Amino acid sequence: MPELPEVEVTRLGVSPHVKGLKITNAIVHDGRLRWPVPKNLKKILLGQMVHDVRRRGKYLLFVLDDGHLLIHLGMTGVLRVIDVAEPPKPHDRVEILFGDVALRLNDPRKFGAVLWVPFSDGEIENHPLLAKLGVEPLSKEFSETRAPQVLYSHARGKTVAVKQWLLSGSAVVGVGNIYCSESLFEAGIHPQMQAGRLTLPKAKRLADAIRAVLRKAIRKGGSSLRDFVNAQGEPGHFMMHTHVYDRAGLPCHVCGSTIKQIVQGQRSTYLDRKSTRLNSSHRCISYAVFCLKK
């Protein structure tokens, strides 16, 4: 599933091609997505200008004259900038045209979304799909000074494993399974530790790791596990740089121990074979393996 880095990479790739342009057409090839695409989408969008392309969590927000066009890539969606003459492909769902340029959403599994939210509905931040999202990890609200307290305060009293807590997106948004794995590894926090045991020092390490991992993933173009490509059709390369994720059976980059895969909440977790116990005394105690930094 495209996570925050992949959506941000898409935003960065799309924005220069559409910002400041007026929509000349909208074509709905198949509107049966997670929520039905508005049947009158063409009528709604025709002639409106794109003033900005924003992101909230994994949602793209196209700011138009009269409202927001909200797009979610779902599990397998790709939003590409193409020439309008390029023939439609299987699983193409929606096209937004800007003269000779088109944005085309291809979504094989139909879990994506293309929704219209008029300004008359109120602030977009209060939309039901956005209102309960956590803090943006690359925002001022999650800065080096604020982020530790954000995580520490939200984790108080939580008995769920820290991995599941992070994945929920209720404290900080966009830390999907890959980036959760890498962040916990970098912070030296065991994925099975209760979230409520997150101390302020651990919260600081985790916040620093989250920002660093996400920024690195964006620089590398995101992660292309299966279908993801950017707006120009190019795959991301972050998976070539992971320390722990998807490395079962391989040696730890830090201590050389073999990485073992377990399952938490139907998601893969990777631990060192010597560190499968939560309170292991072995120095590698986190996702895949973590070696305490001296």
Side-chain angles (χ1 to χ4, degrees), residues 184-230:
L184 288 169
F185 170 80
E186 293 289 346
I189 297 172
H190 197 292
Q192 294 175 319
M193 183 191 80
Q194 288 186 1
R197 293 178 57 196
L198 192 70
T199 61
L200 267 174
K202 288 181 179 179
K204 184 182 186 310
R205 295 206 310 265
L206 181 57
D208 291 344
I210 288 170
R211 288 193 302 272
V213 166
L214 293 179
R215 285 171 176 154
K216 180 178 179 181
I218 292 168
R219 290 197 304 270
K220 299 299 180 182
S223 300
S224 294
L225 286 177
R226 296 181 181 88
D227 305 304
F228 176 75
V229 293
N230 65 17

Side-chain angles (χ1 to χ4, degrees), residues 91-109:
H91 313 305
D92 282 346
R93 308 301 178 189
V94 178
E95 288 187 62
I96 311 297
L97 280 63
F98 303 84
D100 295 333
V101 175
L103 289 183
R104 185 175 291 173
L105 176 66
N106 186 282
D107 185 4
R109 297 189 65 180

Side-chain angles (χ1 to χ4, degrees), residues 76-173:
T76 55
V78 172
L79 188 65
R80 290 191 57 195
V81 177
I82 62 169
D83 190 293
V84 293
E86 185 173 320
K89 297 180 179 179
H91 313 305
D92 282 346
R93 308 301 178 189
V94 178
E95 288 187 62
I96 311 297
L97 280 63
F98 303 84
D100 295 333
V101 175
L103 289 183
R104 185 175 291 173
L105 176 66
N106 186 282
D107 185 4
R109 297 189 65 180
K110 298 183 180 180
F111 286 121
V114 177
L115 301 173
W116 173 247
V117 185
F119 290 143
S120 59
D121 282 0
E123 295 292 331
I124 189 65
E125 289 78 10
N126 296 327
H127 188 278
L129 294 175
L130 309 179
K132 294 183 180 181
L133 296 179
V135 175
E136 284 288 331
L138 302 179
S139 68
K140 292 180 180 179
E141 288 72 27
F142 204 72
S143 65
E144 185 174 352
T145 55
R146 296 183 182 182
Q149 188 63 49
V150 169
L151 295 180
Y152 176 77
S153 298
H154 192 278
R156 292 305 83 210
K158 301 292 192 305
T159 58
V160 66
V162 67
K163 179 192 174 186
Q164 273 67 43
W165 171 71
L166 267 183
L167 288 176
S168 74
S170 56
V172 57
V173 73

